[in-house]
Amino acid sequence: MRRIGLALGLGFLWAPILLMVLYAFSADRIPFQWGGFSLRWFAALAANERMREAALLSLRIAAGAATLATLLGGLAGWALARFGPFRGRTLLGALASAPLVLPEVVTGLSLLLLFVLAQGAVEAWLGWAPGRGAATILLAHATIGLAYVAVVVQARLAALDPSLEEAAADLGAEPFTIFRTVTLPLIAPSLAAGWLLAFTLSLDDVVVASFVSGPAGTTLPMLVFSALKVGLTPEVNALAALFLALAALFVGAAGLFLARRANGAG
Amino acid sequence: MRRLLILLPPLAWLLLLVAAPLLIIGLIAFAEAGPGVPPFIPPFGWAGGPVWRGSTESIGTLLGETYYLEAFLRSLLTAFVTAALCLLLAYPMALGIAGARPSWRLPLLLLVLLPFWAGFLPRLGAWIGLLRDGGWANGVLGLAGIGPLRLLYSNLALYLGMVHAYLPFAVLPLATALLRRDRSLEEAAADLGATPFTVFRSVTLPLSLPAAASAFLLVFIPAAGEFVIPELLGPPEAQLVGRVLWGEFFQNRDWPLAAALALAMLVLLLPPILLFQRLGRRG
């Protein structure tokens, strides 16, 4: 009974995706219609200059935002897990979790209003202000990513066995040495997971980016969104197949790495 | 001193990029719309001293016109139905994962999560391709002698897209809770002669209720503000709040009204958000 439920659920999740990947290899111009095996849509994707530029911009924003988010979110997670009760803890906790629960349109609009007012203030002061685009998207995505990293890191730190750090201290290690040789290696996987989460969130976001971007910043999701408003194109099929292949490759590699590490340790 | 160095960067960042923008929303909701860039008149000015020149026009519009009230009600209803459907599908899935052999659990969880990496938009694209006129879904219905039906841009398409996008969010907390549960209670009930169904109804289900509430809210909260899915799959008349806000901002360029809508969304979603966080702390 429960197996049937699981199979049905997984089938519902995967059927559209697998069909999409299958038809990415169809020569037919109409999506989800078989016209013989072909790689032409992958070639069309590679030749599409707007798509390539947008993908490159998205990757750069995602990498930058994820790195900023990991640094700031790591610090926030540390403060929340390790500082005990302090003045401002509730505020920090509430602000750090707000992006997790706010509707995307609210996050997008509120950040846009901030950027517009900041632009106005800078312009009144210097007579010139930088436009909105990649930089404002990066700031917005770093803020959203920060929230996710903080949660992951805080949970990991809270679950850490304190005796490991105490042992290092008993053996005479300096606080920074303890952090570098004991704590950091222990929380490194959660930092990596947080970075990856922030990276994928940034690559997937269309709503917040649409609000805070300017004429110069069209990300890949923004481009795909405007294409999908008209209808599905075979190029989007190919793009999804590509994403999924990369994700599968990554998960496979991570699994292999973990299995090898487990074998090495055991 | 070291504590301050750790605390200050994230706190300053969050004050500037989360707290300040939310306060600005509250401020601009009381601004007057006007021509120019940006298209509003700031609600306070300086003329020898601070002057208030805000207006409650946007708030009044929001409360006065049934169009907006209907959008809010429709959003809450859509989010409720989506969350209920997700819960209904996710519960047996989570039970299946928790009941699987230990070596199978992680791969099964990954199978639930991996669709995320196909990308949010491409997954919606798959539904567009399946449901369009003359598409796969209509082909299958045709074999059964039904149709052709207009499936895309309908409420059916909207809910298929919503549930497909949010289902993994519901599976995760349920699977975690069911994996961690103490099986000795169920064994005790079985030893006392309860049938498997009675064990489930009187032990397993009640114990998993907090996780089920978390899963429900984890879907309900983002679904209530959803913009992309109704826009790409839903019928034109499915004017949910997210879509209305988007329209006021991008099409009508009425920023104060958009801000007022955002403010109303915040007020409306605050109770479920607080409830969700209370559940999270207890779990």
Side-chain angles (χ1 to χ4, degrees):
Chain A
M1 179 58 208
R2 53 179 66 164
R3 282 205 192 140
I4 297 171
L6 182 57
L8 275 178
L10 285 176
F12 170 67
L13 278 178
W14 279 97
I17 295 171
L18 292 179
L19 281 172
M20 194 175 203
V21 172
L22 176 73
Y23 281 102
F25 295 95
S26 157
D28 207 292
R29 180 172 298 280
I30 300 171
F32 284 72
Q33 189 158 301
W34 191 252
F37 178 85
S38 159
L39 293 175
R40 65 182 281 204
W41 301 115
F42 291 94
L45 197 63
N48 187 332
E49 191 147 344
R50 282 186 67 200
M51 208 78 134
R52 243 188 10 234
E53 260 171 36
L56 216 61
L57 182 72
S58 281
L59 285 173
R60 281 192 357 236
I61 291 173
T67 308
L68 254 173
T70 307
L71 287 172
L72 291 161
L75 292 176
W78 185 278
L80 287 169
R82 286 295 169 90
F83 284 6
F86 61 92
R87 256 196 316 160
R89 191 185 188 286
T90 317
L91 180 70
L92 181 68
L95 290 179
S97 60
L100 304 177
V101 288
L102 288 180
E104 286 175 306
V105 283
V106 174
T107 307
L109 178 65
S110 71
L111 281 166
L112 171 86
L113 292 173
L114 172 80
F115 293 144
V116 166
L117 292 185
Q119 274 180 315
V122 170
E123 201 169 325
W125 184 35
L126 296 176
W128 170 88
R132 297 191 301 277
T136 41
I137 302 177
L138 189 140
L139 289 175
H141 285 179
T143 306
I144 299 169
L146 185 169
Y148 284 86
V149 176
V151 169
V152 176
V153 170
Q154 186 195 354
R156 178 73 186 137
L157 279 169
L160 225 54
D161 183 358
S163 62
L164 292 168
E165 286 167 300
E166 283 161 21
D170 287 347
L171 293 169
E174 302 282 326
F176 184 69
T177 313
I178 299 176
F179 173 75
R180 198 170 48 83
T181 57
V182 180
T183 323
L184 191 60
L186 284 171
I187 62 169
S190 57
L191 286 173
W195 190 92
L196 202 66
L197 200 56
F199 184 80
T200 30
L201 282 167
S202 169
L203 268 189
D204 232 14
D205 166 66
V206 57
V207 174
V208 175
S210 299
F211 272 101
V212 302
S213 182
T218 304
T219 63
L220 187 61
M222 284 161 76
L223 206 61
V224 173
F225 177 67
S226 54
L228 284 179
K229 275 217 263 196
V230 186
L232 181 65
T233 62
E235 272 146 310
V236 176
N237 269 356
L239 194 69
L242 215 61
F243 273 174
L244 212 62
L246 286 177
L249 214 66
F250 177 82
V251 170
L256 221 63
F257 173 75
L258 287 177
R260 191 170 288 179
R261 211 168 67 157
N263 283 341
Chain B
M1 187 58 211
R2 214 183 58 223
R3 281 169 66 120
L4 212 60
L5 278 177
I6 292 173
L7 183 61
L8 219 51
L11 189 60
W13 183 283
L14 289 168
L15 283 173
L16 192 65
L17 284 140
V18 177
L22 289 178
L23 291 177
I24 294 172
I25 285 254
L27 205 64
I28 302 301
F30 292 95
E32 205 171 322
V37 179
F40 61 82
I41 303 154
F44 54 84
W46 193 268
V51 206
W52 173 256
R53 49 170 189 233
S55 110
T56 52
E57 198 191 313
S58 298
I59 305 282
T61 309
L62 206 62
L63 296 176
E65 288 184 26
T66 49
Y67 172 70
Y68 299 105
L69 185 69
E70 274 172 24
F72 274 105
L73 289 178
R74 203 175 287 127
S75 293
L76 292 179
L77 177 72
T78 307
F80 184 87
V81 173
T82 303
L85 288 173
C86 282
L87 202 57
L88 226 56
L89 268 170
Y91 203 95
M93 289 176 77
L95 268 180
I97 292 171
R101 264 180 284 154
S103 59
W104 275 87
R105 284 174 197 157
L106 186 65
L108 284 172
L109 264 180
L110 275 178
L111 269 181
V112 173
L113 293 179
L114 208 58
F116 277 123
W117 277 295
F120 173 60
L121 289 170
R123 279 191 293 152
L124 294 177
W127 286 108
I128 295 177
L130 281 173
L131 297 174
R132 70 181 166 80
D133 296 344
W136 249 73
N138 261 315
V140 172
L141 285 178
L143 291 179
I146 310 169
L149 300 174
R150 182 119 178 93
L151 297 171
L152 191 56
Y153 310 124
S154 70
N155 276 318
L156 177 74
L158 171 64
Y159 281 114
L160 280 172
M162 292 283 265
V163 173
H164 195 245
Y166 286 113
L167 182 58
F169 289 106
V171 174
L172 212 55
L174 281 171
T176 319
L178 288 171
L179 271 169
R180 279 202 203 133
R181 75 187 193 268
D182 182 359
R183 310 248 172 165
S184 58
L185 290 168
E186 290 164 19
E187 284 159 18
D191 287 347
L192 292 171
T195 62
F197 180 72
T198 312
V199 173
F200 174 77
R201 194 177 48 85
S202 57
V203 181
T204 318
L205 192 62
L207 282 178
S208 64
L209 277 184
S214 277
F216 183 90
L217 290 170
L218 205 55
V219 175
F220 180 86
I221 293 166
E226 182 59 48
F227 159 74
V228 176
I229 302 174
E231 179 78 7
L232 288 181
L233 296 176
E237 70 272 14
Q239 286 298 330
L240 309 185
V241 183
R243 234 173 149 183
V244 170
L245 191 155
W246 183 282
E248 295 299 348
F249 181 82
F250 284 101
Q251 273 111 48
N252 299 344
R253 284 184 67 75
D254 191 338
W255 290 20
L257 188 54
L261 278 163
L263 193 63
M265 274 170 101
L266 283 176
V267 172
L268 216 61
L269 283 178
L270 206 58
I273 287 172
L274 291 177
L275 183 65
F276 174 69
Q277 286 181 334
R278 175 160 298 182
L279 282 167
R281 262 201 299 280
R282 239 187 4 200

